[in-house]
Coordinates of all heavy atoms in Angstrom, one line a residue:
G1 N -6.5 -36.0 11.4 CA -5.9 -37.1 10.6 C -6.8 -37.6 9.5 O -6.4 -37.9 8.4
G2 N -8.1 -37.6 9.8 CA -9.1 -38.1 8.8 C -9.1 -37.1 7.6 O -9.2 -37.5 6.5
C3 N -9.0 -35.8 7.9 CA -9.0 -34.8 6.8 C -7.7 -34.9 6.0 O -7.8 -34.8 4.7 CB -9.1 -33.4 7.4 SG -10.8 -33.0 7.9
S4 N -6.6 -35.2 6.6 CA -5.4 -35.4 5.8 C -5.4 -36.6 4.9 O -5.1 -36.5 3.8 CB -4.2 -35.5 6.8 OG -3.8 -34.3 7.3
V5 N -6.0 -37.7 5.5 CA -6.1 -38.9 4.7 C -7.0 -38.7 3.5 O -6.8 -39.1 2.4 CB -6.6 -40.1 5.5 CG1 -6.9 -41.3 4.7 CG2 -5.5 -40.5 6.6
A6 N -8.2 -38.0 3.8 CA -9.1 -37.7 2.7 C -8.5 -36.8 1.7 O -8.8 -37.0 0.5 CB -10.4 -37.1 3.3
A7 N -7.8 -35.9 2.1 CA -7.2 -34.9 1.1 C -6.2 -35.6 0.2 O -6.1 -35.3 -1.0 CB -6.5 -33.8 1.8
V8 N -5.4 -36.6 0.7 CA -4.4 -37.3 0.0 C -5.0 -38.4 -0.9 O -4.7 -38.6 -2.1 CB -3.4 -38.0 0.9 CG1 -2.5 -38.9 0.1 CG2 -2.6 -36.9 1.6
T9 N -6.1 -39.1 -0.4 CA -6.6 -40.2 -1.2 C -7.8 -39.8 -2.0 O -8.2 -40.5 -3.0 CB -7.0 -41.3 -0.2 OG1 -8.0 -40.8 0.7 CG2 -5.8 -41.8 0.6
G10 N -8.5 -38.7 -1.6 CA -9.8 -38.4 -2.3 C -9.7 -37.4 -3.5 O -10.6 -37.2 -4.2
G11 N -8.4 -36.9 -3.7 CA -8.2 -36.1 -4.9 C -8.8 -34.7 -4.7 O -9.1 -34.2 -3.6
R12 N -9.0 -34.0 -5.8 CA -9.3 -32.6 -5.8 C -10.7 -32.3 -5.1 O -10.8 -31.4 -4.3 CB -9.3 -32.0 -7.2 CG -9.7 -30.5 -7.3 CD -9.6 -30.0 -8.7 NE -10.0 -28.6 -8.7 CZ -9.2 -27.6 -8.4 NH1 -8.0 -27.8 -7.9 NH2 -9.6 -26.3 -8.5
W13 N -11.7 -33.2 -5.3 CA -13.0 -32.9 -4.8 C -13.0 -33.1 -3.2 O -13.7 -32.3 -2.5 CB -14.0 -33.8 -5.4 CG -14.4 -33.4 -6.8 CD1 -14.0 -34.0 -7.9 CD2 -15.1 -32.2 -7.2 NE1 -14.4 -33.2 -9.1 CE2 -15.2 -32.2 -8.6 CE3 -15.7 -31.2 -6.4 CZ2 -15.8 -31.1 -9.3 CZ3 -16.4 -30.2 -7.1 CH2 -16.4 -30.1 -8.5
A14 N -12.1 -33.9 -2.7 CA -12.0 -34.0 -1.2 C -11.4 -32.8 -0.7 O -11.8 -32.3 0.4 CB -11.2 -35.3 -0.9
V15 N -10.3 -32.3 -1.4 CA -9.7 -31.0 -0.9 C -10.7 -29.9 -1.0 O -10.8 -29.1 0.0 CB -8.5 -30.7 -1.8 CG1 -7.9 -29.3 -1.5 CG2 -7.4 -31.7 -1.6
L16 N -11.5 -29.8 -2.0 CA -12.5 -28.7 -2.2 C -13.5 -28.8 -1.1 O -14.0 -27.8 -0.5 CB -13.1 -28.8 -3.5 CG -12.2 -28.3 -4.7 CD1 -12.9 -28.6 -6.0 CD2 -11.9 -26.8 -4.6
T17 N -13.9 -30.0 -0.8 CA -14.9 -30.2 0.3 C -14.4 -29.8 1.7 O -15.1 -29.1 2.4 CB -15.4 -31.7 0.4 OG1 -15.9 -32.1 -0.9 CG2 -16.4 -31.9 1.5
I18 N -13.2 -30.2 2.0 CA -12.6 -29.8 3.2 C -12.5 -28.2 3.3 O -12.8 -27.6 4.3 CB -11.2 -30.4 3.4 CG1 -11.4 -31.9 3.5 CG2 -10.5 -29.8 4.6 CD1 -10.0 -32.7 3.4
L19 N -12.0 -27.6 2.2 CA -11.9 -26.2 2.2 C -13.3 -25.5 2.3 O -13.4 -24.6 3.1 CB -11.2 -25.7 0.9 CG -9.7 -26.1 0.7 CD1 -9.2 -25.6 -0.6 CD2 -8.9 -25.4 1.8
F20 N -14.2 -26.0 1.6 CA -15.6 -25.4 1.6 C -16.2 -25.4 3.0 O -16.6 -24.4 3.5 CB -16.5 -26.1 0.7 CG -17.9 -25.8 0.8 CD1 -18.4 -24.6 0.5 CD2 -18.8 -26.7 1.4 CE1 -19.8 -24.2 0.7 CE2 -20.2 -26.4 1.6 CZ -20.6 -25.2 1.2
V21 N -16.1 -26.6 3.7 CA -16.7 -26.7 5.0 C -16.1 -25.7 6.0 O -16.7 -25.0 6.7 CB -16.6 -28.1 5.5 CG1 -17.0 -28.2 7.0 CG2 -17.5 -29.0 4.7
H22 N -14.7 -25.7 6.0 CA -14.0 -24.9 7.0 C -14.1 -23.4 6.6 O -14.0 -22.5 7.5 CB -12.6 -25.4 7.1 CG -12.5 -26.7 7.9 ND1 -12.6 -27.9 7.2 CD2 -12.4 -26.9 9.2 CE1 -12.6 -28.8 8.1 NE2 -12.4 -28.3 9.3
L23 N -14.1 -23.0 5.3 CA -14.2 -21.6 5.0 C -15.6 -21.1 5.3 O -15.7 -19.9 5.8 CB -14.0 -21.5 3.5 CG -12.5 -21.7 3.0 CD1 -12.4 -21.6 1.5 CD2 -11.6 -20.6 3.7
V24 N -16.6 -21.9 5.2 CA -18.0 -21.5 5.6 C -18.0 -21.2 7.1 O -18.5 -20.2 7.6 CB -19.1 -22.5 5.3 CG1 -20.4 -22.2 6.0 CG2 -19.3 -22.5 3.7
L25 N -17.4 -22.1 7.9 CA -17.3 -21.9 9.3 C -16.4 -20.7 9.7 O -16.8 -19.9 10.6 CB -16.7 -23.2 10.0 CG -17.5 -24.4 9.9 CD1 -16.8 -25.6 10.5 CD2 -18.8 -24.2 10.6
A26 N -15.3 -20.5 8.9 CA -14.5 -19.3 9.1 C -15.3 -18.0 9.0 O -15.2 -17.0 9.7 CB -13.3 -19.3 8.3
V27 N -16.1 -17.9 7.9 CA -17.0 -16.8 7.6 C -18.0 -16.6 8.8 O -18.2 -15.5 9.3 CB -17.7 -16.9 6.3 CG1 -18.8 -15.9 6.2 CG2 -16.7 -16.9 5.2
E28 N -18.6 -17.7 9.2 CA -19.5 -17.7 10.3 C -18.9 -17.1 11.6 O -19.5 -16.5 12.4 CB -20.1 -19.0 10.6 CG -21.1 -19.5 9.5 CD -22.4 -18.9 9.5 OE1 -22.7 -18.1 10.4 OE2 -23.2 -19.2 8.6
G29 N -17.6 -17.5 11.8 CA -16.9 -17.1 13.1 C -16.3 -15.7 13.0 O -16.5 -14.9 13.8
L30 N -15.5 -15.4 11.9 CA -14.8 -14.2 11.8 C -15.7 -13.0 11.3 O -15.5 -11.9 11.8 CB -13.6 -14.4 10.8 CG -12.6 -15.4 11.2 CD1 -11.6 -15.5 10.1 CD2 -11.9 -14.9 12.5
L31 N -16.7 -13.3 10.5 CA -17.6 -12.3 10.0 C -19.0 -12.5 10.5 O -19.9 -12.5 9.7 CB -17.5 -12.3 8.5 CG -16.1 -12.1 7.9 CD1 -16.2 -12.2 6.3 CD2 -15.5 -10.7 8.3
W32 N -19.2 -12.9 11.8 CA -20.4 -13.4 12.3 C -21.5 -12.4 12.1 O -22.7 -12.8 11.8 CB -20.3 -13.8 13.7 CG -19.9 -12.7 14.7 CD1 -18.7 -12.2 14.9 CD2 -20.9 -12.0 15.5 NE1 -18.8 -11.2 15.9 CE2 -20.1 -11.1 16.2 CE3 -22.3 -12.1 15.7 CZ2 -20.7 -10.2 17.2 CZ3 -22.9 -11.3 16.6 CH2 -22.1 -10.3 17.3
R33 N -21.3 -11.1 12.3 CA -22.4 -10.1 12.1 C -22.9 -10.1 10.7 O -24.1 -10.1 10.4 CB -21.9 -8.7 12.5 CG -21.6 -8.5 14.0 CD -21.3 -7.1 14.3 NE -20.9 -6.9 15.7 CZ -21.8 -6.7 16.7 NH1 -23.1 -6.7 16.4 NH2 -21.4 -6.5 17.9
A34 N -22.0 -10.0 9.7 CA -22.4 -10.0 8.3 C -23.0 -11.3 7.9 O -24.0 -11.4 7.2 CB -21.2 -9.8 7.4
A35 N -22.5 -12.5 8.5 CA -23.1 -13.8 8.2 C -24.5 -13.9 8.6 O -25.3 -14.5 7.9 CB -22.2 -14.9 8.7

């Protein structure tokens, strides 16, 4: 819920921050050997 509120109220940079954090985690999880 906090991420949804941040995405709606924080504009593009909030969306980019949410995507960045979770994409880094996705790389760490899905491509863990390469990471």
